[in-house]
Amino acid sequence: MGSSNKINRRKFLKRASVSTLGAGMVSAGSFAAADRVNTSETAVIKEYRTFGKTGFRVSDISSGAPTNEAVLKAALDSGVNLIDAGEVYMNGNSERIIGRVLQDHDRSRFFVNSKLYTEEDSFPSKKEVIERTGQVLERIQSDYVDGMMIHSVENTRILKDEAFHAGMEQMKKEGKVRHVGLSCHGNNWAYNTDENLETILMTAIDDGRFDIILLAYNFVNAGMAEKILDKCEQKGIATMIMKSNPVHIFGLLDSRMQKMVDEGREADKFTQAYYEKYKTMNEQARTFFERYGIRGEKELKEAASRYVLSNPRAHTTLWDFQSFDDLEGMLGLSGQTLTLKDDLVLNGYMDELGHTACRIGCNDCEAACPENIPVNKILRYNYYFSVKKQEKRAMEKYARLELNKPSETCISCEGYCEQACSYGVWTRPLLAAAQSKLELIV
């Protein structure tokens, strides 16, 4: 751990008293918290919002699946009071981290959310749903979980799965599950061409059995996501936000291509075919960042984050805190709203660089692809790699993808994906860059 990280760790560990400020659950039916608990320069949560009809007062910034016990403890001691996890995250180890950390805290003051996953359109049985929920409780060392979701919903059939809902109904009666929800990245178009992310989430809202929805929301996909947030608000459904920062500074493909040239190697034909167009995108981005005085990813991420934090219908935004520096930086944004410069930068980005960012979940491109290439999935994995810096996770997901992948076929294709895109995204150079990173072919 670097010296600056150690300093940040000491700063966080001095804040034990702050844990009383991140007000959470007092009892099964009683919730209370101050809206703004601290306005000093210390990086703590400064704003809490009503978490839909759950009644919980949730911190505007929450913890994504934790990977480090000390960092999670620091987050909770600084006012974060919602922790997200899932049975498949780190093979259950994220839940185990939560369980160990919560032993030193008042469990009733925190909202713990987890997820059950199935690759099919249904769960095998009510019995299995109950058993797996019990295993989640064992890992988090608690008698109950505040939220239990269906993980990564890809169609409306799984939303209505009776095995899942019967299991949840029994768990709720026994006090082991308090609220039910789902997460969604969009549908799997290769297998289901009748739905998209909006169809799935609107169906879930109308279903009436879901209390919480976890969705991607950022300044790039606002047109689609804000319709969902508005309807959630009308129905009293709690909202959790992922992918609040949709962009990254370009350049990684350039550096790999340069290394490849220096070593006298050749890239695959697909990468070669779209390298020049990708370089054009890089140059457009560089010019844009210089004109707006953006010196690095941090400033862009903060502007994107303030965009989401400015919307009261987005109740809490998840962040995967990887370090004390990361935690310090993100908690410093709590309670902030969009600035004039942010507005200029983000609107300028949409006008000048909107073609560089995929709106994950819209499916225009996949619907038009004659090869059924799962464009949204691939670019989502590239998001994990480039924005979230989860290189190993992204590469593993890409390696397990059993659908068609970009290839020389895409070179001779007429570009149906780009022609169909409502947002004018340059899909093929983005796919070339994604493939280059995810397959490590350069």
Side-chain angles (χ1 to χ4, degrees):
M1 184 184 295
S3 60
S4 65
N5 219 21
K6 290 179 181 177
I7 292 171
N8 276 340
R9 184 176 189 276
R10 286 198 293 272
K11 286 164 62 180
F12 276 114
L13 294 179
K14 289 179 181 177
R15 302 182 195 152
S17 62
V18 179
S19 62
T20 62
L21 302 175
M25 255 186 243
V26 177
S27 67
S30 174
F31 307 86
D35 279 349
R36 296 181 183 274
V37 297
N38 191 314
T39 56
S40 72
E41 294 182 1
T42 304
V44 297
I45 293 296
K46 300 180 181 68
E47 183 172 343
Y48 293 84
R49 298 171 177 177
T50 301
F51 199 42
K53 57 191 173 186
T54 72
F56 191 76
R57 295 291 287 172
V58 67
S59 50
D60 59 348
I61 295 174
S62 295
S63 173
T67 58
N68 182 294
E69 289 184 37
V71 173
L72 177 61
K73 182 181 185 303
L76 302 190
D77 290 344
S78 298
V80 169
N81 68 357
L82 183 146
I83 319 165
D84 183 58
E87 63 176 357
V88 299
Y89 296 160
M90 296 172 59
N91 295 317
N93 284 328
S94 282
E95 293 170 332
R96 295 184 182 95
I97 288 172
I98 294 169
R100 289 191 290 268
V101 170
L102 285 182
Q103 297 311 299
D104 298 325
H105 292 75
D106 179 355
R107 168 70 179 89
S108 67
R109 302 184 71 80
F110 299 95
F111 195 105
V112 179
N113 183 73
S114 195
K115 310 177 192 74
L116 301 180
Y117 178 67
T118 176
E119 293 184 351
E120 307 299 329
D121 290 346
S122 62
F123 286 88
S125 66
K126 171 185 174 181
K127 180 175 181 290
E128 181 174 303
V129 169
I130 291 172
E131 288 176 350
R132 284 163 60 182
T133 301
Q135 291 164 7
V136 170
L137 299 183
E138 289 177 7
R139 289 191 289 269
I140 67 172
Q141 300 183 52
S142 178
D143 295 331
Y144 66 95
V145 65
D146 302 280
M148 181 60 77
M149 292 182 166
I150 305 175
H151 178 56
S152 196
V153 167
E154 293 189 335
N155 59 64
T156 56
R157 291 188 294 279
I158 186 66
L159 296 178
K160 302 178 182 299
D161 181 58
E162 290 308 318
F164 175 80
H165 286 291
M168 289 299 101
E169 187 64 28
Q170 181 168 327
M171 291 288 93
K172 288 171 75 173
K173 287 179 180 177
E174 295 177 6
K176 296 178 179 179
V177 171
R178 291 185 169 171
H179 304 284
V180 177
L182 75 149
S183 67
C184 180
H185 300 280
N187 84 313
N188 192 335
W189 192 272
Y191 299 117
N192 179 4
T193 59
D194 297 325
E195 300 176 344
N196 59 21
L197 182 144
E198 184 177 339
T199 304
I200 294 169
L201 289 182
M202 289 300 189
T203 300
I205 294 168
D206 289 334
D207 181 271
R209 289 177 287 187
F210 295 99
D211 306 311
I212 316 166
I213 284 179
L214 171 56
L215 73 154
Y217 171 45
N218 51 64
F219 74 94
V220 169
N221 81 337
M224 176 168 48
E226 288 178 0
K227 288 191 290 184
I228 296 163
L229 292 174
D230 287 346
K231 190 161 185 179
C232 283
E233 181 76 7
Q234 295 168 16
K235 299 285 187 176
I237 294 175
T239 58
M240 295 164 57
I241 304 304
M242 56 182 169
K243 298 180 176 60
S244 56
N245 172 33
V247 298
H248 66 283
I249 303 298
F250 288 77
L252 182 58
L253 181 59
D254 274 348
S255 64
R256 291 192 173 189
M257 287 290 286
Q258 187 59 54
K259 180 181 178 182
M260 178 193 62
V261 170
D262 292 343
E263 295 176 354
R265 294 183 290 122
E266 288 188 0
D268 70 288
K269 291 183 179 179
F270 181 54
T271 304
Q272 288 183 41
Y274 290 99
Y275 177 57
E276 290 302 322
K277 199 164 186 178
Y278 187 81
K279 283 178 63 178
T280 298
M281 294 164 71
N282 274 352
E283 181 60 26
Q284 291 170 337
R286 185 190 63 77
T287 301
F288 175 84
F289 296 140
E290 286 180 355
R291 184 165 66 256
Y292 282 89
I294 300 171
R295 293 180 294 276
E297 288 191 46
K298 181 175 182 291
E299 291 183 40
L300 195 58
K301 179 169 72 172
E302 289 178 352
S305 298
R306 282 190 288 266
Y307 179 93
V308 173
L309 291 170
S310 296
N311 188 342
R313 292 177 174 81
H315 298 144
T316 190
T317 301
L318 297 179
W319 278 99
D320 296 332
F321 303 119
Q322 301 295 316
S323 67
F324 292 99
D325 287 332
D326 190 21
L327 180 59
E328 179 86 10
M330 290 315 304
L331 292 191
L333 297 175
S334 177
Q336 293 190 15
T337 55
L338 204 65
T339 67
L340 178 59
K341 181 179 179 181
D342 293 337
D343 191 52
L344 291 172
V345 168
L346 299 183
N347 277 304
Y349 190 99
M350 291 298 292
D351 289 341
E352 300 178 40
L353 294 174
H355 60 285
T356 70
C358 177
R359 281 66 166 175
I360 294 173
C362 85
N363 295 118
D364 282 354
C365 50
E366 295 186 358
C369 178
E371 300 296 322
N372 284 329
I373 293 173
V375 179
N376 264 276
K377 279 185 181 292
I378 294 170
L379 294 183
R380 173 155 57 92
Y381 299 161
N382 186 51
Y383 169 89
Y384 296 148
F385 188 107
S386 301
V387 180
K388 298 186 77 172
K389 310 304 181 187
Q390 297 175 351
E391 290 91 347
K392 181 179 178 181
R393 177 192 179 198
M395 290 162 61
E396 288 175 346
K397 283 183 169 291
Y398 187 77
R400 292 196 299 266
L401 197 59
E402 296 180 352
L403 299 167
N404 291 338
K405 297 178 181 178
S407 65
E408 292 183 29
T409 305
C410 297
I411 302 173
S412 58
C413 175
E414 296 182 18
Y416 297 107
C417 54
E418 295 175 351
Q419 294 174 28
C421 181
S422 302
Y423 309 98
V425 174
W426 292 8
T427 310
R428 286 180 289 181
L430 289 178
L431 284 174
Q435 178 177 264
S436 176
K437 286 176 276 190
L438 298 173
E439 286 191 348
L440 282 180
I441 59 174
V442 296

